[in-house]
Each structure stands twice: as C-alpha cells, then as structure tokens.
Amino acid sequence: MKKFCLFALTALLFAACNNPSAEPEKAIRLSQDTLMTPYTGGEYTFSVTAVDTWTAACEESWIRLDATSGKAGTTEVGIKITVNKESIENLGRVTFTSGENKAVLTVIRLAKPAPSLVVTSDKAINTPKEGGTYTIMVEGNIKWSIASNASWAKVSKGVSQNNDNITVTVSAATTPETTTATITVAPYGEGKEAGEQIVTITRGGTDATSLTVDPTAIDAPAEGGNFTVNIESNARWRVYKSWDADWINIYGTTESVNNGSFGIIVEEATSVDPATAIITIEEVRSDGYTPVAVQVTVNREGKAAASLSVSPLKIDAPAAGGKYTIEIKSNYPWTASLTGVKMFSVDKTEGSGDATMIVTVKSSTEEKETTGTIAISSSFGGERAKVSIRRAAYEKPGFSVSATKKVYFSRGNLFYKPDGNKWSFPKLQYVYNAMGNRYMNEGYLGGEYDLFGWGTGKNPLRTSIDDNDYTYNEWGDNVIEGGANATWRTLTRDEWMYLLKKRPNADKLHALASIDVYHGHVILPDTWILPNGLSFRTYGNVATTYADANNYTFDEWQMMEDAGAIFLPAAGCRYTNDSGENEISGVAETGYYWTSTSHTGNGKAPAWFITFYADDGFDEGFAGGRNGMSVRLVQDAN
C-alpha cells in the first residue's frame, strides 16, 4: 500500500508552543489535500488529524475508504481507487467533517489510454522454397495474441503485450505448389477496438511432380480382403474412390506428402455379380495447374450362394436386464423383426452383411417372467434365424441385517428442508449437500440438509452442545415425501455390523466405488446377479484410492441400481471446532452414517456410527450428538 509523507501531530504542537507567531492548530487537517492516480488505480494511505471525532463522506463509487469515522488525534486511513475503464479522467472529493470544521481530499483518476496495436514490419513476406526465419515487429499498449493458420509457418510465442518482436520459422516446401500462410495479430482480452493486423507469408514450391503407384490393379476374391497401395512422390497427394465403390473401404493415410501408403479393405461380395471400382491417387494443387493422377483398378469376384448365421440364439437375462451382443454373419443384406419390444431394444434392425447387434434388455419390476423374439431374415435365399429372449421375474432385493431379518434400503440419504418442514429422499442415490450443512446449527433455514445430529428425528436443527440433550428419536417416524409415517427406520449398530461383516459372503458384497465424480460405497443385496458387461471388485482386489476402485458411468450405475445395488455417498461430516464454529470435513472422501444405538446404552449421546474411507474400508466409532452425519433409512422386509 502506497503512503504519503505526513507531519507528526506532536511535532506541529511543539512548533506552535515555541513559536508565538505560529498559526493556531486546525480543528481537522489531512496529510495530503490532493491524490492523483493512474487509470489502474491502487491502494494508498494518508492520515487525518483532528481535535475531536470526525466522519468522512464521498459520493464516488470508485473511491473506497477503509474508515469513514475516527476519534480525536491522528488516524491512518486507507483509500482504494478502482480501475478506470473509460477514456475520460475522473475527479472526486472526500469530505472530512469534525464538528463545524471540514477538510477535503481531491482525488484525480487519469483516463485509460486508447488501445493501440500495429505491425511495424513488412506485412507481406515472400520466402524461397527452402523457407527461413523472419521477424514480425509489433508495437502496442495492450495484451495481444499472434497465430499462424499453417503448420509450416510457426510463431515463437502465442501471446505477448506492448512492444515485442516475434520470430516466424518457415519450413522448407515439400510440394511443387506455391503456398500461403496468414499470421494474425489480434487484441487478447480487452482493447478489441484496436483491430487485427494481418501478415501474409508466401512460400515457393518444389520442382515438377513425380507420382508412382504400386500396384495399379487389384484382383480380390468374393470373400474380399485387405490390400496395401504404396506411393512414391515429391508432391502432396490425396486418395478417393469412385462413386460405385461402396464395397471398398480406404483406411490409413488418405492425404499426405511425398512417399506413403494406404490400405484397402474389400468387403465380401453380397451377390453373384462381379464388381469393379476405381481408386484415384491425385496430386493436390491450388495454383490452377492440372494435377497429376494415377488410378488403381479393383476387381472383385461375385459370390455364388447365400449364407446366414446368428449367435447366440437364446438370451437369458435377469430381472435387472443388461446388454448382450448378437453376432450376425451374412453375405447378403438382412432385416430383423421384433416381438415383445416393451422389454428390450436393439441398436439396428437391418444390415448389408456381417454385423454386431447390441440387445439392451430393460430392467423389470414385474413379478413374472417376460419373453420376446428377434427374427433375422436374409434378402437372398430365404435364410432365417430366430433369437429368443427371456427375462426373469423381478424379486425385490433384500439385505440381511441379522440371521432372521432382512430390510430394503431407501432410495437415497435422508434430506430435510426447514421451509415447510419437509423430509425427502433424493431422486439419485449419489446426491448429497456438500456445504449447506455448515450453517445448520446456526439457524440458517434457507436450504436443505442431509447431515444431522444424533437422534434428532423430530428436531433436526437441535443446537445443544450437551450430549444429555440428545435422546434418540427415530427419523423414520416423520412423514417423508408425503407418505405415511413410521414406515422407515434407522439400522442399529449390530445390524450394520451384521450386514457388512457377518452375513454370508459379506466381504464380497460391498466395496468402494465412484459414480462419475461421486465417491462412496456400494452394498449389494444378499442375492446378487452382476449386470452383463459390468464388473465389481471387492476389497481384496481393489486398491486403496477411489481412482483405483470400482468406477461406473451414470448409465452403468443405473444398471447396477436396477439389479439391486445401493450407494452410500461420501458426504463427509459436520463438527464443531475449538472456536465453536461449524466445519464440514471429509466431503467426497469419507462417509459417516449414524446407527440408532447409544454408546452408553441409556438412549443418549454419544452414539455409534459406521464410516468408510479410501484407505481402510468400513469401520465403526462413536461421537457426540451435535456431530452431523448422514442418515440412510430402511424398511423391514415382509
């Protein structure tokens, strides 16, 4: 912060006492009457000396004081001048008043200079075919960019400001044609009215074109095949095929310079008729001269007999559905007709030969088996194949929490909105509220919360720091989403531990996972069928970071959820620090979930919770009632 020189108050008083002719001390005075700043503004300080209290006032929004009043004596005041974005000078005044006395600080903010950007070197550069190095000189008072539209003309930097020299390196020509590049110098950010500057670089071409192609004729059997064409040239060339060559696919390089090659895939014939196509290799020119060209003739034999094979002919899908692949082998076009399309869909219903069909079986909530068929017919020879699809009946997935009891989990973590006293579950399991919970115990009622103090079922905004005030109240007793109350409940400590550690195959039915950017923990039902095409790795096969754990896209997770999996998001926890302030910790890293079990056994806090984190899987602990943690409710299975 800049600071103006001031005379100390004591020095002035001393001078006045020892000089009878000195002027009487002013009731209020400033160390500086005038402040002039550049258009960029800045931060400054000055002092106010007054014999009584004082106030300051200013009507200019671009002038900001860190103090607008003070006591008797000398006070250092900070003043901030914002940037002048206009091309006119500004004048402002700050008036200081002490009793009936006033002092004025006049502030002058200089105008922003008009933007300027000029290329002072030659704007038309001609180079020989060997290329070279050239300098573009730029003068300006703004930040600017410089870019080339040609890879053979490279600039030494992309962004600069004010005055600078830019080096342009022009590589040697590789084709006979004359080529042109455009170098554009333009304002970068502000100052667009300065306009663009254009520099043109023209480079001469090489000698006359030579173009040799091998082979110039390809004879392919009816089964088709893969062939390579080699090119020797001193020019730029391109490859294209005749309009009737849809049975030929060109891959690899289709446009290049000098020597090269490209591949040709001749597809299998789909009729008895032989076929002929032309592939042209042609010089690329832009200077008006007729390009040199060489043709390759491709001949393919006709196919005599029709064939159609489909595999598999039967798909057995679980109620959760899944994706399945059907391989179709045919030497003629084919079509597919479907029945039972409410339960599945396909990515294609027709093709011209061999193809892969993706069948997506939708998830089901019907408590009965459903079926469908795909009938595939060849357009030649009457060949036909039928694929049958069977989807198993839906059985609501259960989670064992003891040797004799199963539960169903809610759609997501519990949410509470003070406005209207509304309880709800999110539409997506991985949703949580990261920061709104911070103000929950401070009376902030403007949002939704999903971290609660223990046992605050009827009083989610409880703020007491005394654990004795936290007697357990069941969150599930509230009316949630307008439904009947007392249909949901919280798992006990023993139930959580049985679910995660004691039920049959417990260690294989839960693990860390990520759904896109959302971290958390997946728990699978007792009876689990992994959706086709997906994988699930348990703790023994998963690294100790979310990046190496199970990772699913949103669509993949929907398949997991349809199969019965639940997801506990790592929503972190809320706690009170040593200053009595609420803090949010562990968001997107650790999950903390309350049990309904008191640690002391008397129904009061502290209480047990379970937790998961990246480096050690699941664990348990206990904490005071005011700590905010997630709540996941369950319903007892009938």
Side-chain angles (χ1 to χ4, degrees), residues 314-336:
K314 183 178 181 181
I315 295 175
D316 287 318
K323 288 190 175 182
Y324 301 85
T325 300
I326 295 177
E327 296 292 341
I328 302 173
K329 300 291 184 181
S330 175
N331 59 348
Y332 287 94
W334 54 267
T335 58

Side-chain angles (χ1 to χ4, degrees), residues 317-356:
K323 288 190 175 182
Y324 301 85
T325 300
I326 295 177
E327 296 292 341
I328 302 173
K329 300 291 184 181
S330 175
N331 59 348
Y332 287 94
W334 54 267
T335 58
S337 58
L338 317 177
T339 59
V341 292
K342 289 185 178 181
M343 63 168 284
F344 75 97
S345 62
V346 297
D347 66 335
K348 57 177 68 72
T349 57
E350 60 181 24
S352 59
D354 294 353
T356 297

Side-chain angles (χ1 to χ4, degrees), residues 199-216:
V199 176
T200 301
I201 299 179
T202 302
R203 181 186 65 179
T206 61
D207 299 329
T209 302
S210 65
L211 182 63
T212 302
V213 177
D214 182 42
T216 57

Side-chain angles (χ1 to χ4, degrees), residues 420-440:
N421 191 34
K422 296 179 180 178
W423 298 86
S424 64
F425 301 124
K427 293 182 178 180
L428 302 172
Q429 290 202 48
Y430 43 81
V431 169
Y432 60 89
N433 186 350
M435 295 308 298
N437 299 283
R438 178 177 184 141
Y439 307 102
M440 186 173 186

Side-chain angles (χ1 to χ4, degrees), residues 135-150:
T135 300
I136 298 177
M137 294 181 289
V138 181
E139 294 184 0
N141 62 357
I142 60 174
K143 192 173 184 180
W144 45 271
S145 64
I146 182 167
S148 169
N149 70 341

Side-chain angles (χ1 to χ4, degrees), residues 187-205:
Y188 189 86
E190 297 183 354
K192 294 187 182 300
E193 58 269 32
E196 294 183 347
Q197 298 281 301
I198 302 297
V199 176
T200 301
I201 299 179
T202 302
R203 181 186 65 179

Side-chain angles (χ1 to χ4, degrees), residues 441 454-456 458-464 469-471 473 626:
N441 287 352
W454 183 71
T456 55
K458 292 295 184 182
N459 186 13
L461 301 181
R462 184 173 294 153
T463 60
S464 173
D469 291 336
Y470 288 88
T471 301
N473 286 279
R626 195 185 187 198

